[in-house]
């Protein structure tokens, strides 16, 4: 009989992008004359506990005392938190629905605001473990339930020992209390979640650093919304590129390296390149960049590298021949849109195709030489593997065929090998 897995997930700065008590303070103390000083104290107590420099129970008590919050403030907080769910958790809602019995939210936060947020993601109320507030008759928060083990130092360890779950436990979180589960031997692996914050004292102790929930699902071979975590895609930024351009790429989750030149050590692994105006790429290096999928150029790319080589290798190029000032955001957005959806709209060397993402499907990209019969071969393979096609689109130019096929979620992985073997295939990729 297969061993059952359980996924122990933290809430603050993991499931959500923020620390909820810090956010509650900003709401409840909005009109307080010393609000900035109090905010700073609360944030300091949070960070000291997360880094293991202050006991959790002491940190919690000090923060709750400073809040001056009530139930109306909680309602405002819940509305805010629902908009602050971490992007990689949000896009993998289907995972939580499918694994509802195995997912547990274990947090030193409070059920009053955690339950309304995570319940949207099919997480069962009985699988939410957190503290609870004590309020007065008029709804003012004055304390919390000190009998709850999660209010104590080492509370997650105490709770999990009481629960005595039978199976392999995996912990995902950003703080010291999450690492304590690994240190106690109660969980098989601890994944330091760094999408929102990376605490070096915690990262250094983790079994695996996971910059997104996609990464966690990927390394554990679990169903996920995108086929390959963006944090594993190397994006090389070369030259004098604005902070605005780099921020757009970082926000989307790619692994960024900002360099003054196309260094040899990156040639084999680079998946995306963003070039400042005036930068060039030697053709010899371009030909060896076999994982490169797209180049964005902040200006006119004419004579800066070989468009023909890019086309032959299935590399999509976006540039701005008029060197418009808006290219600082426009070109990175085109590159991101291609990586996320396969959109080649306004590319320099590819047939232009623009499509929305389609839910509950996988998007396959097939780039090939524009010769007769390729689509027939593609669809013969789909038929052979009993694939249900949700949508299919083909655009061509004189030399290239660019086919996007959206298929239902069920497929045989042998399908991909067969598609790659079609004669005149240049590149094949699964987007999501």
């Amino acid at each position: 009989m297969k061993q059952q897995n359980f996924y122990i997930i933290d809430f603050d700065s993991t499931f959500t992008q923020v620390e909820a008590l810090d956010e509650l303070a900003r709401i409840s103390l909005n009109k307080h004359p010393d609000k900035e000083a109090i905010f700073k104290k609360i944030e300091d107590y949070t960070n000291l506990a997360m880094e293991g420099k202050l006991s959790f129970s002491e940190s919690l008590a000090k923060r709750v005392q400073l809040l001056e919050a009530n139930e109306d403030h909680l309602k405002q907080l819940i509305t805010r938190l629902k908009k602050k769910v971490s992007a990689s958790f949000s896009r993998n809602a289907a995972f939580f629905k499918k694994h509802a019995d195995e997912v547990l939210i274990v947090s030193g936060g409070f059920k009053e605001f955690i339950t309304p947020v995570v319940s949207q993601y099919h997480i069962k109320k009985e699988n939410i473990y957190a503290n609870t507030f004590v309020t007065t008759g008029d709804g003012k928060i004055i304390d919390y339930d000190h009998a709850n083990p999660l209010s104590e130092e080492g509370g997650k360890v105490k709770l999990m020992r009481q629960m005595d779950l039978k199976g392999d436990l995996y912990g995902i979180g950003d703080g010291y209390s999450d690492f304590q589960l690994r240190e106690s031997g109660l969980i098989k692996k601890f994944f330091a979640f760094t999408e929102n914050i990376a605490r070096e004292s915690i990262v250094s102790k983790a079994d695996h650093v996971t910059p997104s929930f996609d990464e966690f699902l990927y390394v554990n071979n679990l169903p996920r919304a995108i086929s390959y975590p963006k944090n594993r895609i190397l994006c090389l930024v070369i030259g004098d590129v604005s902070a605005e351009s780099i921020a757009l790429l970082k926000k989307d989750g790619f692994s960024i390296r900002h360099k003054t030149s196309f260094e040899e050590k990156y040639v084999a692994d680079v998946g995306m390149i963003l070039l400042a105006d005036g930068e060039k790429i030697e053709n010899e290096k371009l030909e060896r960049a076999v994982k490169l999928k797209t180049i964005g150029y902040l200006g006119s790319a004419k004579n800066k590298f070989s468009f023909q080589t890019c086309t032959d290798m299935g590399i999509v190029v976006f540039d701005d021949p008029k060197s418009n000032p808006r290219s600082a955001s426009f070109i990175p957005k085109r590159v991101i849109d291609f990586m996320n959806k396969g959109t080649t709209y306004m590319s320099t060397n590819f047939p232009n195709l623009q499509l929305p993402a389609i839910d509950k499907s996988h998007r396959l990209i097939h780039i090939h030489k524009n010769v007769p019969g390729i689509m027939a071969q593609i669809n013969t393979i789909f038929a052979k593997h009993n694939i249900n096609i949700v949508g299919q689109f083909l655009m061509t130019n004189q030399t290239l065929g660019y086919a996007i096929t959206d298929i239902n979620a069920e497929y045989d992985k042998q399908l991909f090998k067969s598609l790659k073997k079609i004669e005149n295939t240049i590149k094949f990729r699964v987007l999501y």
Side-chain angles (χ1 to χ4, degrees), residues 35-76:
K35 62 182 180 181
E36 292 302 328
I38 300 173
F39 293 159
K40 182 68 169 58
K41 281 185 181 179
I42 290 173
E43 288 175 359
D44 287 347
Y45 287 137
T46 298
N47 288 325
L48 287 170
M50 290 301 101
E51 293 167 8
K53 296 175 182 176
L54 181 70
S55 76
F56 181 80
S57 55
E58 187 177 355
S59 167
L60 184 63
K62 289 181 180 297
R63 284 180 285 162
V64 171
Q65 287 168 12
L66 290 168
L67 281 175
E68 297 186 19
N70 58 44
E71 290 177 349
D72 285 338
H73 295 139
L74 275 176
K75 290 176 184 177
Q76 294 176 54

Side-chain angles (χ1 to χ4, degrees), residues 244-245 248-249 274 298 318 326-341 343 345:
E244 178 188 2
S245 299
L248 284 167
L249 294 162
L274 183 66
L298 299 172
F318 299 93
R326 70 186 181 126
S327 65
S329 61
F330 180 77
I331 297 300
K333 285 177 181 177
R334 297 277 69 76
V335 167
I336 290 167
D337 224 21
F338 169 71
M339 293 299 291
N340 290 343
K341 296 188 243 178
T343 298
Y345 176 63

Side-chain angles (χ1 to χ4, degrees), residues 229-264:
K230 293 181 191 179
N231 57 272
R232 288 179 172 246
I233 298 174
L234 173 61
C235 177
L236 192 60
V237 179
I238 300 173
D240 187 16
V241 174
S242 72
E244 178 188 2
S245 299
I246 296 170
L248 284 167
L249 294 162
K250 279 185 177 177
K251 185 178 179 182
D252 215 59
F254 299 106
S255 179
I256 310 295
R257 301 289 186 278
H258 189 186
K259 301 293 177 180
T260 56
S261 64
F262 192 1
E263 296 177 14
E264 179 62 38

Side-chain angles (χ1 to χ4, degrees), residues 124-399:
K124 295 181 175 181
K125 289 182 180 179
E126 59 266 32
N127 285 355
I128 300 169
Y129 297 87
N131 286 298
T132 53
F133 286 120
V134 173
T135 59
T136 60
D138 60 357
K140 184 180 178 181
I141 295 169
I142 55 170
D143 205 351
Y144 58 89
D145 178 9
H146 291 257
N148 189 324
L150 287 169
S151 70
E152 304 170 17
E153 174 61 25
K156 291 186 179 182
V157 172
K158 292 174 185 176
L159 174 72
M160 299 312 297
R161 280 190 175 137
Q162 290 174 13
M163 292 178 68
D164 194 24
L165 295 171
K166 304 301 181 186
D168 288 334
L169 278 60
Y170 298 87
I172 310 162
D174 67 287
Y176 183 67
S177 63
D178 304 298
F179 166 70
Q180 285 179 318
L181 288 172
R182 181 70 175 91
E183 194 176 37
S184 69
L186 287 168
I187 62 175
K188 188 172 183 179
K189 281 187 179 180
F190 167 55
F191 293 80
F193 188 79
T194 60
E195 183 171 327
N196 304 308
I197 187 168
R199 307 179 198 275
E200 184 52 41
S201 59
I202 306 305
V203 166
S204 62
K205 298 172 182 176
D207 294 299
H208 190 91
V209 177
T210 178
S212 68
F213 192 56
D214 307 296
E215 170 75 6
F216 172 81
L217 297 175
Y218 179 80
V219 298
N220 289 294
N221 197 28
L222 293 164
R224 55 196 173 273
I226 57 176
S227 62
Y228 192 71
K230 293 181 191 179
N231 57 272
R232 288 179 172 246
I233 298 174
L234 173 61
C235 177
L236 192 60
V237 179
I238 300 173
D240 187 16
V241 174
S242 72
E244 178 188 2
S245 299
I246 296 170
L248 284 167
L249 294 162
K250 279 185 177 177
K251 185 178 179 182
D252 215 59
F254 299 106
S255 179
I256 310 295
R257 301 289 186 278
H258 189 186
K259 301 293 177 180
T260 56
S261 64
F262 192 1
E263 296 177 14
E264 179 62 38
K265 64 181 178 180
Y266 296 118
V267 172
D269 295 317
V270 65
M272 308 159 60
I273 294 179
L274 183 66
L275 290 158
D277 197 3
E279 297 293 336
K280 296 182 178 181
I281 301 178
E282 300 165 13
N283 205 53
E284 183 272 332
K285 280 187 176 176
L286 192 59
E287 289 175 341
R288 290 188 289 114
V290 293
K291 292 184 181 179
L292 185 58
K293 298 168 183 66
T294 181
I295 297 174
Y297 198 90
L298 299 172
S300 174
K302 188 176 180 181
N303 300 323
K304 301 300 191 299
F305 52 86
S306 171
F307 287 5
Q308 188 58 56
T309 298
C310 289
T311 302
D312 292 344
M313 294 177 66
I315 300 166
V316 181
V317 177
F318 299 93
D319 75 338
D320 184 7
K322 295 181 180 179
S323 297
N324 194 310
R326 70 186 181 126
S327 65
S329 61
F330 180 77
I331 297 300
K333 285 177 181 177
R334 297 277 69 76
V335 167
I336 290 167
D337 224 21
F338 169 71
M339 293 299 291
N340 290 343
K341 296 188 243 178
T343 298
T344 53
Y345 176 63
M346 297 190 75
S347 72
T348 306
N349 65 329
F350 256 59
N352 274 212
L353 189 57
Q354 188 173 18
L355 294 170
I358 297 178
D359 290 336
K360 298 179 181 178
S361 68
H362 291 272
R363 176 161 290 176
L364 315 182
I365 286 182
H366 193 276
I367 303 169
H368 51 269
K369 293 178 183 177
N370 187 12
V371 297
I374 298 286
M375 286 306 296
Q377 293 181 65
I378 289 173
N379 287 330
T380 296
I381 289 169
F382 285 141
K384 182 179 177 182
H385 287 267
N386 296 314
I387 297 299
N388 180 36
I389 296 176
V390 179
Q392 191 169 54
F393 309 87
L394 171 69
M395 290 289 286
T396 62
N397 60 21
Q398 288 185 331
T399 58

